[in-house]
Amino acid sequence: MIRFASLGSGSRGNALVVEAGGTRVLLDCGFGLRETIARLGRLGLIAEGLDAILVTHEHGDHVGGVARLAARFNIPVYLTNGTRSACAALHAERRVHLIEGGREFAIGDLHVAPYAVPHDAREPVQYVFSDGAVSLGVLTDAGHATEAMMARLSGLEALVLECNHDVDMLRDGPYPRFLKARVGGDRGHLANAQAAQILQGIDRSRLRHIVAAHLSEKNNTPRHARTALADALGCHGDWVCIAGQEDGFAWRQI
C-alpha cells in the first residue's frame, strides 16, 4: 500500500509526501522551514518522521526549502549531480545522495525510479514510486512528453500530472512575451491539452487516482484542468483531484 498527499502545488511552492510501509519521503520542498513544518502538521506529520527528501530540479519552487529542512532535521537528500551543481545551498551538504535518471534505487520500503524529463533545468528528473505491488507516478515541470516518459507512466495505479496552463489563457494572459515562450516551449511546462494527450497515450487500465498538479494561478483554472483530464479519461470531472497551491490535497491511498 502507498499513500500520498501534497503540501501545496504551484509556482509558489511544491512538496509531495509519499509513504509505503515504514518509509516516508518528501518529493521537493519549495516552502520555507516554518511553512513546511506547518503544512506537514496539517497532514498529521512531523519533519522528524521523514526518511528522505527527493528533488526533481533546482528551481526555487521545488528546492527552495530543501537545504534548511535537511540540515535542521538531519534528513538525507537525493538529487542528480546537475541539480546539486545548480544549488549552492547544497554544495556542502554531507547527506546528499547522487542519483541518475533511469537508475532505480530503494529507500526503505519504497522502490524509486527517477526518469529524465525535458525542462529548462540542469539535470531534471521526475519519479515513479512503488512498494512492489502498486505504483505512483509524478510528472510535473516538463515541456513535452517523450516515448521514454510515456513508457514509464504506463500501467500505474496513481498519477500526479502537471496541468500548468490553458493554451488560450497563456496566450492572452499578462505574462511578457519571453515568459509565455518559456512556459509554452518544449522545455517549459505541460498545458492541459498536453496532459490529456499523455493520459490518452498511456496504459490506464490500472489507474485509480489522477491528480492535476502545478496549475498556474494566472494561466489556468481548476475547471479547465479538470475538464481536460476528465474528457481524456471519459470520466466525471469530480473524479479528477486538483492539487492546490495553498492546501495541496489530502491523503490518497492505493
Side-chain angles (χ1 to χ4, degrees), residues 159-163 210-215 225-226 229 240-243:
L159 177 59
V160 177
L161 179 60
E162 177 172 55
C163 289
I210 180 68
V211 179
H214 216 306
L215 275 67
R226 181 174 279 120
L229 298 192
V240 178
C241 175
I242 300 293

Side-chain angles (χ1 to χ4, degrees), residues 10 33-34 39 43 49 59 109 140 144 152 154 178 197:
L33 183 61
R34 184 177 299 179
R39 290 180 182 235
L43 296 173
H59 293 163
D109 296 314
T140 69
H144 66 279
R152 176 61 72 182
S154 286
F178 80 90
Q197 289 173 350

Side-chain angles (χ1 to χ4, degrees), residues 4-9 15-17 39 42-43 243-244 247-251:
F4 59 104
S6 172
L7 305 188
S9 181
L16 182 78
V17 182
R39 290 180 182 235
R42 294 197 314 229
L43 296 173
D247 54 4
F249 60 85
W251 288 110

Side-chain angles (χ1 to χ4, degrees), residues 150 159 161 163 191-205 207 210 223-237 239-240:
M150 299 288 280
L159 177 59
L161 179 60
C163 289
N192 296 336
Q194 289 174 297
Q197 289 173 350
I198 289 171
L199 276 182
Q200 291 173 329
I202 63 174
D203 175 5
R204 308 184 303 277
S205 60
L207 192 65
I210 180 68
R223 180 178 63 83
H224 281 83
R226 181 174 279 120
T227 298
L229 298 192
D231 287 351
L233 292 170
C235 68
H236 193 280
W239 196 73
V240 178

Side-chain angles (χ1 to χ4, degrees), residues 13-224:
N14 297 271
L16 182 78
V17 182
V18 182
E19 289 185 359
T23 304
R24 179 182 299 128
V25 303
L26 188 66
L27 175 59
D28 287 335
C29 183
F31 303 103
L33 183 61
R34 184 177 299 179
E35 183 69 14
T36 300
I37 293 171
R39 290 180 182 235
L40 285 169
R42 294 197 314 229
L43 296 173
L45 304 177
I46 57 174
E48 292 91 336
L50 295 173
D51 295 295
I53 304 170
L54 286 76
V55 179
T56 59
H57 64 294
E58 69 269 19
H59 293 163
D61 57 325
H62 293 264
V63 77
V66 170
R68 290 190 65 196
L69 185 67
R72 175 72 175 272
F73 297 102
N74 195 33
I75 306 170
V77 177
Y78 292 75
L79 75 175
T80 64
N81 187 54
T83 299
R84 185 187 189 186
S85 69
C87 297
L90 291 170
H91 285 177
E93 178 56 61
R94 296 181 180 180
R95 291 167 290 266
V96 162
H97 298 260
L98 295 180
I99 63 171
E100 298 177 14
R103 179 171 293 181
E104 303 177 9
F105 58 96
I107 302 175
D109 296 314
L110 269 175
H111 181 84
V112 183
Y115 62 98
V117 295
H119 191 52
D120 56 352
R122 193 73 60 88
E123 191 182 353
V125 292
Q126 294 292 325
Y127 295 88
V128 172
F129 301 93
S130 176
D131 68 348
V134 293
S135 298
L136 160 69
V138 181
L139 173 58
T140 69
D141 297 79
H144 66 279
T146 66
E147 290 185 8
M149 289 163 56
M150 299 288 280
R152 176 61 72 182
L153 298 176
S154 286
L156 303 172
E157 281 76 18
L159 177 59
V160 177
L161 179 60
E162 177 172 55
C163 289
N164 177 258
H165 59 278
D166 172 82
V167 171
D168 293 337
M169 289 183 68
L170 177 65
R171 182 196 63 212
D172 301 331
Y175 281 6
R177 183 175 299 178
F178 80 90
L179 188 53
K180 292 179 180 180
R182 173 187 172 270
V183 170
D186 280 349
R187 290 168 55 84
H189 291 271
L190 292 172
N192 296 336
Q194 289 174 297
Q197 289 173 350
I198 289 171
L199 276 182
Q200 291 173 329
I202 63 174
D203 175 5
R204 308 184 303 277
S205 60
R206 300 170 63 183
L207 192 65
R208 291 154 52 187
H209 298 274
I210 180 68
V211 179
H214 216 306
L215 275 67
S216 169
E217 294 177 290
K218 296 185 182 297
N219 303 305
N220 207 358
T221 69
R223 180 178 63 83
H224 281 83

